Amino acid sequence: MDKKYQLFINGKWVDALSGKTFKSINPATGEVNAVVAEAGAEDVDLAVKAARQAFESGPWANMAPGDRGRLLYKVAQALWEKADMLATIESTDNGLPINETKHIAMPAMIDVLEFYAGLANKVQGATLASPSDRLNYTLKEPIGVIGAIVPWNFPLMLTMWKLAPALAAGNTIVIKPAEQTPVSILEMVKIFHEVGIPDGVINVVPGYGSVAGEALSSHSDIDKIAFTGSTNTGRLIMQSASKNLKPVSLELGGKSPNIVFDDANLENAVNGSMFGIFFAQGQVCASGTRLFVQESIYDKFMDSFVNKIQSIRVGNPLDQLTQMGPQVSQQQLEQIQRYVAVGLEQGANLVTGGERNLKAGNGYYFTPTVFDNVTNEMTIAREEIFGPVISVIRFKDEEDALRKANDTIYGLAAGVWTNDIKRGHRMARGLKTGTVWVNTYSLLDSAAPFGGKKQSGFGRELGLEAMDMYTSTKHVWVDLNEQGLNWYGV
Ligand code: NAD
């Protein structure tokens, strides 16, 4: 029998008021993984009311920051205990290979919670320089009720990037998971609740973007929207949020350049570039999808790169040996197939892959795909494919690489492979992206701010900077002068 999940509002599991449900599909089989209550605007409204109530009064509002931190730390310990179970659920929900969920996504996600648990009692305002007859200081306060809208590629990790700093700072939250992957988030929130996070502090409203997502981003009692998803949806979110001028942070798409110079350690560059594109089936916002290879090593690099790619094991995400699982959905599979056709039409050379992988199973499997002879002007080098497809582009020298790398509407991340330390730093300065990896790719750290420039969004998640996104600054001016303010002299 299919598993059934409800909405989580005010500490209770409830059906949608409409009684509607939707199906969450297992991408490895195309079969139903779970049936989930489908939130409508009226459910979102109830969730926002519960979050407001919990923010304004009750145990959460009155909890000392140190106690909040300890509670979050206890949740982190419970998550470690259940990490394998969560990894299996996440892999079943979205197709990530179990090796990646178990050894990368879960530890990274829990580390984020621990990082912010430790920061809960370190939020500080400042005493400002003032004349002797007055006192000026700032208070760093929680913003209020946060609306978090997350995508399907790393449901738990990308939720935690918002949930952990939001709670550490004392906010409450309403989470809208992606319609493709609600299950792992509901299971994780259950653990938060079991450990003792008070009712109403975390609410989850699975449902469709155009309904539940829209209701959340336009809701007049939401104080901030934290969004991760596509650039197009980011635009819609900004429009909805403009109704009550709530602040938004947007982590959006990318078309990240990964640049290999001829002085790089070739083997490391080949291995790292493979991880940079095929990790999570290419469904990573920061994937190094435009691979720039210097002309002088082009053939040598490509021989080794393509050879290794052809040995990637595509298959059942729950198999420990699998290196690439299925794409998340039929829709995503078709999007990739369309882009492959466009690449061929525009004259790119398909070196390997390019087709659905039916040998791996009936799910949405695709073969790791490499196009070369790509120019930066081709559609496959300009638009986000969000699948295991890499476009390889030649470059002459540093100047040429930088110009081509920056010639994109996106600015999320970039990679540089070189053994010349000066060149590495010069490139890091010149690349117009939020992150630059030198001699590695796709690595994240809870302490390192992550986010985009240009149409990859704004705001920084992770690190100390994320705490700024979940606090607001209040200035307090105290007049110490006995005479007070008597401008009119009356
Ligand atoms: P998406 O934009 O389609 O959906 C993301 C979320 O937004 C989902 O929960 C969806 O239901 C919701 N949504 C859709 N329409 C909405 C609307 N009108 N109003 C409110 N909410 C709405 O993106 P996706 O396909 O789920 O995810 C893939 C995209 O996410 C890619 O573009 C990828 O680059 C991006 N992404 C970015 C980062 C980052 O940190 N920059 C991380 C992961 C994914």
Side-chain angles (χ1 to χ4, degrees):
M1 208 175 75
D2 300 327
K3 286 176 282 173
K4 293 200 165 46
Y5 287 88
Q6 293 172 295
L7 315 179
F8 187 66
I9 299 179
N10 207 14
K12 317 255 167 336
W13 297 97
V14 294
D15 287 330
L17 290 173
S18 66
K20 283 191 189 170
T21 57
F22 67 103
K23 291 177 177 134
S24 171
I25 304 295
N26 177 346
T29 60
E31 285 162 14
V32 177
N33 176 35
V35 176
V36 184
E38 180 192 326
E42 58 290 356
D43 304 296
V44 170
D45 191 47
L46 286 180
V48 175
K49 285 199 171 94
R52 172 61 57 195
Q53 169 83 17
F55 178 72
E56 302 294 348
S57 57
W60 189 248
N62 300 323
M63 199 177 286
D67 291 339
R68 236 173 20 229
R70 261 185 296 279
L71 191 51
L72 293 178
Y73 205 77
K74 266 173 79 179
V75 176
Q77 285 169 318
L79 292 178
W80 280 121
E81 280 160 26
K82 302 204 169 152
D84 282 359
M85 180 268 282
L86 287 171
T88 306
I89 292 173
E90 181 103 315
S91 286
T92 311
D93 220 10
N94 82 344
L96 279 171
I98 192 73
N99 252 330
E100 293 180 1
T101 40
K102 245 189 203 174
H103 302 299
I104 302 179
M106 293 307 113
M109 180 276 279
I110 304 171
D111 192 74
V112 170
L113 182 57
E114 290 175 342
F115 180 84
Y116 289 105
L119 282 183
N121 61 357
K122 292 166 196 72
V123 176
Q124 293 181 346
T127 309
L128 311 177
S130 322
S132 59
D133 61 353
R134 72 177 207 238
L135 171 63
N136 287 68
Y137 65 95
T138 58
L139 288 173
K140 281 278 188 191
E141 299 177 323
I143 293 180
V145 180
I146 308 297
I149 302 179
V150 291
W152 43 258
N153 55 342
F154 293 94
L156 291 181
M157 194 161 74
L158 295 175
T159 299
M160 192 60 91
W161 286 15
K162 298 160 181 58
L163 181 60
L167 296 193
N171 301 281
T172 60
I173 195 163
V174 178
I175 302 164
K176 209 298 278 171
E179 50 271 38
Q180 297 84 349
T181 55
V183 175
S184 57
I185 294 174
L186 290 163
E187 291 283 355
M188 177 177 76
V189 165
K190 197 190 281 180
I191 297 170
F192 271 80
H193 191 59
E194 283 164 3
V195 173
I197 297 290
D199 292 352
V201 173
I202 308 175
N203 306 272
V204 191
V205 285
Y208 290 98
S210 56
V211 182
E214 215 286 320
L216 192 60
S217 52
S218 61
H219 200 290
S220 57
D221 207 25
I222 286 283
D223 297 307
K224 175 205 157 72
I225 287 286
F227 173 71
T228 302
S230 63
T231 295
N232 279 339
T233 307
R235 283 193 191 95
L236 296 175
I237 302 262
M238 275 186 91
Q239 280 167 20
S240 310
S242 71
K243 289 185 185 149
N244 72 332
L245 290 179
K246 61 174 82 67
V248 293
S249 49
L250 301 178
E251 300 283 0
L252 308 176
K255 195 75 199 173
S256 298
N258 181 27
I259 305 163
V260 183
F261 285 99
D262 59 7
D263 61 9
N265 176 316
L266 201 75
E267 195 182 352
N268 289 353
V270 166
N271 293 337
S273 301
M274 277 173 69
F275 183 70
I277 176 68
F278 298 117
F279 171 49
Q281 288 87 256
Q283 299 171 154
V284 181
C285 50
S287 276
T289 48
R290 287 184 302 148
L291 176 61
F292 292 97
V293 181
Q294 195 155 18
E295 275 172 359
S296 40
I297 52 157
Y298 193 88
D299 293 339
K300 197 167 160 209
F301 179 93
M302 288 300 280
D303 276 354
S304 164
F305 188 59
V306 173
N307 225 338
K308 288 194 176 193
I309 285 169
Q310 286 168 337
S311 70
I312 289 177
R313 291 187 296 273
V314 182
N316 178 358
L318 295 182
D319 184 337
Q320 299 284 348
L321 294 177
T322 291
Q323 294 173 318
M324 227 182 79
Q327 308 310 126
V328 75
S329 63
Q330 175 77 28
Q331 194 191 355
Q332 206 59 29
L333 184 74
E334 286 169 8
Q335 169 167 312
I336 296 165
Q337 287 169 322
R338 271 197 305 277
Y339 274 112
V340 168
V342 170
L344 289 169
E345 254 167 52
Q346 294 184 351
N349 178 38
L350 181 62
V351 183
T352 185
E355 53 193 12
R356 186 173 182 168
N357 188 335
L358 285 165
K359 272 193 236 136
N362 292 332
Y364 313 126
Y365 295 98
F366 203 77
T367 318
T369 298
V370 178
F371 276 109
D372 81 346
N373 279 342
V374 180
T375 66
N376 217 20
E377 287 68 43
M378 290 180 187
T379 307
I380 55 169
R382 303 207 78 78
E383 296 181 11
E384 190 176 39
I385 301 173
F386 224 54
V389 180
I390 193 158
S391 299
V392 190
I393 302 170
R394 288 168 193 262
F395 72 90
K396 265 205 269 326
D397 52 21
E398 202 175 307
E399 195 192 333
D400 188 33
L402 199 55
R403 187 177 49 77
K404 286 178 172 153
N406 284 335
D407 178 19
T408 167
I409 59 165
Y410 295 111
L412 193 56
V416 180
W417 299 86
T418 176
N419 272 340
D420 177 341
I421 191 168
K422 292 187 183 182
R423 168 180 276 166
H425 287 295
R426 273 198 305 273
M427 290 296 289
R429 286 192 183 189
L431 286 159
K432 296 191 166 113
T433 57
T435 294
V436 178
W437 287 290
V438 181
N439 293 332
T440 187
Y441 206 93
S442 273
L443 300 186
L444 294 168
D445 191 293
S446 302
F450 183 84
K453 295 188 175 183
K454 300 199 263 181
Q455 293 188 36
S456 291
F458 45 80
R460 291 291 176 270
E461 297 197 294
L462 301 180
L464 297 179
E465 284 188 48
M467 285 304 266
D468 288 339
M469 297 214 299
Y470 294 97
T471 50
S472 74
T473 304
K474 180 184 281 172
H475 167 226
V476 182
W477 175 310
V478 186
D479 189 354
L480 305 178
N481 195 329
E482 286 299 342
Q483 280 77 52
L485 175 64
N486 188 1
W487 180 257
Y488 300 105
V490 289

